[in-house]
């Protein structure tokens, strides 16, 4: 008989984890108290009609990892708790026998949480994710049900994000909550993006995948993500103005085939965990580029960046990709990355597929941003009166700001700066993307600085929602 698991233990640390100095026993106790209280009192969605997800766990884990103390963590909970929907007593229990019968019904959210807790205790994380998210049996063609991967990637990839927090910090309660979130989504909006070929001949026990072109059966050379972006920019089939209300659905319905084909070609080279991690690095740069360069290029007069709400989620979600690798079979790693790239391309195209003027971004976005709230008066004994590390101010600003997304994107960008900050210009000179030779490790602080400026600007104007959602036509 399996032993019960502690749903909300102390967060753990791993190579895929990003935590600044600052967490203490007291702040960690506050974190765990709120994780448990939120789990017991609140539903997975604060808006059940629109499926807006409860973000409390994301917010408090992000600020905790940036060094927030108990008072900030409790203030974040106090700020968001009144918005939440109370937990619902489910109409019945979920078992292996009726698992499919209530998929997409959030009345059963707590029942799915209970089911996945039992499954996790019996099988462990790897088997659980393989079986219920990535396996061919969970992703077969069914007229009544979407594929499991569709529910996992639906809703701006929030189930993936929620599970990702659980994997990064070793918190089983978030893994089971995230799986329950996926189970209570319909997934139909993104279903066309994941054809059955994604799971053809999938063997979850393989330890090495063949790097072959399915048509020619010859080894493929690496297709870099930046080359893929250039192809999308040049593809005239994506031209045209999209409806500001239905832009994503229209993109998926019109272009699912070419988008999934692009992602499949990009993922062909994944043959082991090493190549998977290399592809993840490409994704980190790609989503940061799409959010930041695209955002500065499209910014309206007087705004430091068009802080696109949808593209921002690509940055925050990509942070968790490395945390999935140790918990997935090799075949599932490839499915994850191919599916994720498909979603990245779909959201980017739906937001206007802006040509990326990297030179203009580097000319306007500084690598040494200053935030007025955190300017320093240098003492007479200072070695130099130069700019301090801007990440300190960026992180502090994110901790104090009430928006739950800001701390997440700044944390992701800070992690990428820690990983890739020493990359020199011309590192990407061999790719096909125009201007890629200008990219260096300062991309991330430039993006974070403009994001801090934009969110402060919006808050100073009295706005509670600090992100940009308008659809801006490429000029």
């Amino acid at each position: 008989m399996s032993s019960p698991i502690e749903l909300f233990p102390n967060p753990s640390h791993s190579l895929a984890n990003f935590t600044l100095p600052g967490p203490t026993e007291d702040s960690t106790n506050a974190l765990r108290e709120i994780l448990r209280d939120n789990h017991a009192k609140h539903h997975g969605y604060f808006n059940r009609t629109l499926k807006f997800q409860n973000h409390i766990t994301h917010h408090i884990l992000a600020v905790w990892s940036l060094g927030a103390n108990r008072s900030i963590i409790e203030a974040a909970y106090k700020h968001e708790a009144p918005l939440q929907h109370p937990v619902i007593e489910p109409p019945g229990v979920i078992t292996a026998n009726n698992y499919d019968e209530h998929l997409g019904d959030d009345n059963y959210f707590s029942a799915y949480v209970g089911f996945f807790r039992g499954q996790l205790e019996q099988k462990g994380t790897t088997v659980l994710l393989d079986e219920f998210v990535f396996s061919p049996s969970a992703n077969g063609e069914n007229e009544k049900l979407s594929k499991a991967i569709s529910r996992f990637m639906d809703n701006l990839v929030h189930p993936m994000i929620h599970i990702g927090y659980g994997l990064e910090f070793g918190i089983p309660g978030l893994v089971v909550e995230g799986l329950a979130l996926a189970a209570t989504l319909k997934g139909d909006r993104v279903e066309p993006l994941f054809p059955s070929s994604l799971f053809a001949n999938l063997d979850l026990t393989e330890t090495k995948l063949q790097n072959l072109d399915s048509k020619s059966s010859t080894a493929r050379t690496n297709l870099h993500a930046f080359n893929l972006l250039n192809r999308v920019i040049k593809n005239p089939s994506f031209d045209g103005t999209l409806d500001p209300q239905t832009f994503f659905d229209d993109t998926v319905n019109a272009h699912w085939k070419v988008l999934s084909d692009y992602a499949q070609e990009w993922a062909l080279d994944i043959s082991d965990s090493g190549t998977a991690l290399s592809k993840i690095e490409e994704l980190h740069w790609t989503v940061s580029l799409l959010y930041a360069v695209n955002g500065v290029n499209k910014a309206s007069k007087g705004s430091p960046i068009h802080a696109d709400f949808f593209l921002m989620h690509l940055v925050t979600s990509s942070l968790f990709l490395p945390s999935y690798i140790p918990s997935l079979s090799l075949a599932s790693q490839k499915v994850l990355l191919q599916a994720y790239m498909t979603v990245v391309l779909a959201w980017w195209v739906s937001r206007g597929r802006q040509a990326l003027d990297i030179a203009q971004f580097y000319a306007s976005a500084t690598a040494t941003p200053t935030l007025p709230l955190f300017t320093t008066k240098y003492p007479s004994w200072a070695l130099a009166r130069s700019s301090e590390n801007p990440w300190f101010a960026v992180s502090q600003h994110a901790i104090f700001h009430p928006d739950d997304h800001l701390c997440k994107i700044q944390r992701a960008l800070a992690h990428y700066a820690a990983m890739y900050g020493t990359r020199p210009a011309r590192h990407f000179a061999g790719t096909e993307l125009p201007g890629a030779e200008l990219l260096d490790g300062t991309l991330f602080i430039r993006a974070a600085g403009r994001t801090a400026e934009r969110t402060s600007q919006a808050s100073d104007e009295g706005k509670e929602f600090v992100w940009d959602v308008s659809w801006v036509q490429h000029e």
Side-chain angles (χ1 to χ4, degrees):
M1 184 176 177
S2 58
S3 58
I5 58 171
E6 168 59 63
L7 286 182
F8 301 104
N10 282 340
S12 61
H13 297 276
S14 68
L15 292 176
N17 175 284
F18 183 74
T19 303
L20 294 178
T24 63
E25 180 185 17
D26 187 49
S27 67
T28 303
N29 287 340
L31 174 75
R32 294 180 67 191
E33 290 162 12
I34 292 171
L35 289 174
R36 290 169 177 153
D37 195 66
N38 178 63
H39 181 79
K41 292 181 179 178
H42 300 136
H43 194 274
Y45 301 102
F46 70 85
N47 184 321
R48 295 177 59 207
T49 302
L50 298 176
K51 288 294 193 291
F52 289 169
Q53 187 188 317
N54 176 344
H55 279 49
I56 286 171
T57 55
H58 306 180
H59 192 169
I60 62 172
L61 270 165
V63 296
W64 174 87
S65 72
L66 292 174
N69 60 20
R70 173 182 282 272
S71 65
I72 288 289
I73 294 169
E74 290 180 341
Y77 189 40
K78 184 178 180 180
H79 177 71
E80 294 194 40
L83 304 175
Q84 305 308 313
H85 194 289
V87 69
I88 298 172
E89 185 67 28
V93 298
I94 295 296
T95 68
N97 293 328
N98 71 349
Y99 175 82
D100 288 350
E101 295 176 15
H102 303 290
L103 290 172
D105 185 351
D106 70 5
N107 286 298
Y108 286 85
F109 174 76
S110 293
Y112 276 107
V113 167
F115 171 76
F116 285 121
R117 177 174 184 168
Q119 292 290 305
L120 183 62
E121 290 172 346
Q122 294 174 28
K123 301 174 180 178
T125 304
T126 298
V127 173
L128 185 67
L129 292 174
D130 277 350
E131 181 177 347
F132 288 97
V133 179
F134 300 103
S135 68
S137 61
N139 291 282
E141 292 291 345
N142 188 315
E143 292 183 1
K144 297 182 179 180
L145 296 174
S146 297
K147 299 180 184 69
I149 195 69
S150 301
R151 294 189 296 273
F152 177 75
M153 289 289 181
D154 197 8
N155 207 27
L156 256 178
V157 295
H158 275 98
M160 177 202 158
I161 292 172
H162 204 93
I163 296 169
Y165 272 109
L167 297 177
E168 179 184 357
F169 291 106
I171 302 178
L174 301 185
V175 175
V176 299
E177 286 177 357
L179 287 166
L181 288 167
T184 50
L185 288 171
K186 295 188 181 301
D188 51 336
R189 292 185 72 200
V190 296
E191 175 76 1
L193 295 174
F194 313 116
S196 298
S197 59
L198 182 59
F199 304 93
N201 304 313
L202 193 68
D203 183 355
L204 300 182
T205 65
E206 284 185 302
T207 58
K208 186 77 173 178
L209 300 179
Q210 287 187 320
N211 174 16
L212 299 177
D213 183 325
S214 59
K215 295 180 180 179
S216 64
S217 296
T218 57
R220 291 299 303 260
T221 56
N222 179 53
L223 173 63
H224 195 279
F226 287 0
N227 296 353
L228 194 57
L229 295 185
N230 193 46
R231 293 185 187 183
V232 174
I233 291 170
K234 290 184 173 181
N235 189 334
S237 70
F238 298 124
D239 289 348
T241 301
L242 294 174
D243 188 303
Q245 302 300 319
T246 60
F247 53 89
F248 184 71
D249 296 327
D250 293 345
T251 297
V252 171
N253 293 332
H255 303 297
W256 65 267
K257 180 67 167 61
V258 66
L259 294 172
S260 59
D261 285 349
Y262 276 148
Q264 180 184 23
E265 186 176 0
W266 171 80
L268 276 174
D269 303 283
I270 300 173
S271 57
D272 52 35
S273 292
T275 52
L277 290 171
S278 177
K279 288 294 188 180
I280 288 173
E281 179 177 342
E282 292 181 24
L283 282 165
H284 287 165
W285 284 89
T286 295
V287 295
S288 300
L289 190 69
L290 296 181
Y291 165 78
V293 176
N294 178 66
V296 169
N297 292 166
K298 292 201 297 188
S300 59
K301 185 177 181 180
S303 176
I305 188 172
H306 183 84
D308 194 291
F309 177 74
F310 304 96
L311 300 185
M312 170 266 292
H313 279 86
L314 302 182
V315 181
T316 62
S317 59
S318 65
L319 176 63
F320 303 106
L321 291 171
S323 297
Y324 274 89
I325 297 304
S327 298
L328 295 182
S329 65
L330 184 57
S332 293
Q333 293 173 31
K334 185 169 184 175
V335 171
L336 168 67
L337 296 183
Q338 182 175 329
Y340 186 79
M341 175 57 94
T342 309
V343 169
V344 166
L345 295 177
W347 276 110
W348 177 43
V349 170
S350 79
R351 298 302 291 163
R353 184 176 128 266
Q354 190 87 357
L356 302 168
D357 190 341
I358 297 173
Q360 189 261 342
F361 171 80
Y362 268 78
S364 60
T366 179
T368 55
T370 57
L371 299 177
L373 183 61
F374 301 102
T375 54
T376 299
K377 182 178 180 181
Y378 294 100
S380 60
W381 42 259
L383 287 173
R385 284 165 173 76
S386 60
S387 171
E388 68 274 3
N389 185 339
W391 283 110
F392 295 154
V394 165
S395 298
Q396 282 293 96
H397 176 263
I399 287 173
F400 285 118
H401 200 283
D403 185 83
D404 57 272
H405 291 97
L406 179 61
C407 53
K408 294 193 291 183
I409 190 171
Q410 301 295 51
R411 178 172 174 261
L413 292 168
H415 181 56
Y416 302 157
M419 294 287 291
Y420 317 124
T422 59
R423 292 283 195 276
R426 301 199 62 78
H427 181 78
F428 298 107
T431 66
E432 299 171 9
L433 185 66
E437 70 280 0
L438 301 173
L439 290 171
D440 64 5
T442 66
L443 167 68
F444 310 105
I445 187 58
R446 295 172 193 267
R450 284 299 178 98
T451 302
E453 291 175 39
R454 176 71 184 107
T455 51
S456 287
Q457 181 186 65
S459 294
D460 289 344
E461 294 170 356
K463 297 176 181 177
E464 290 189 17
F465 188 76
V466 298
W467 303 95
D468 294 299
V469 297
S470 59
W471 196 90
V472 179
Q473 173 64 44
H474 167 58
E475 297 179 357

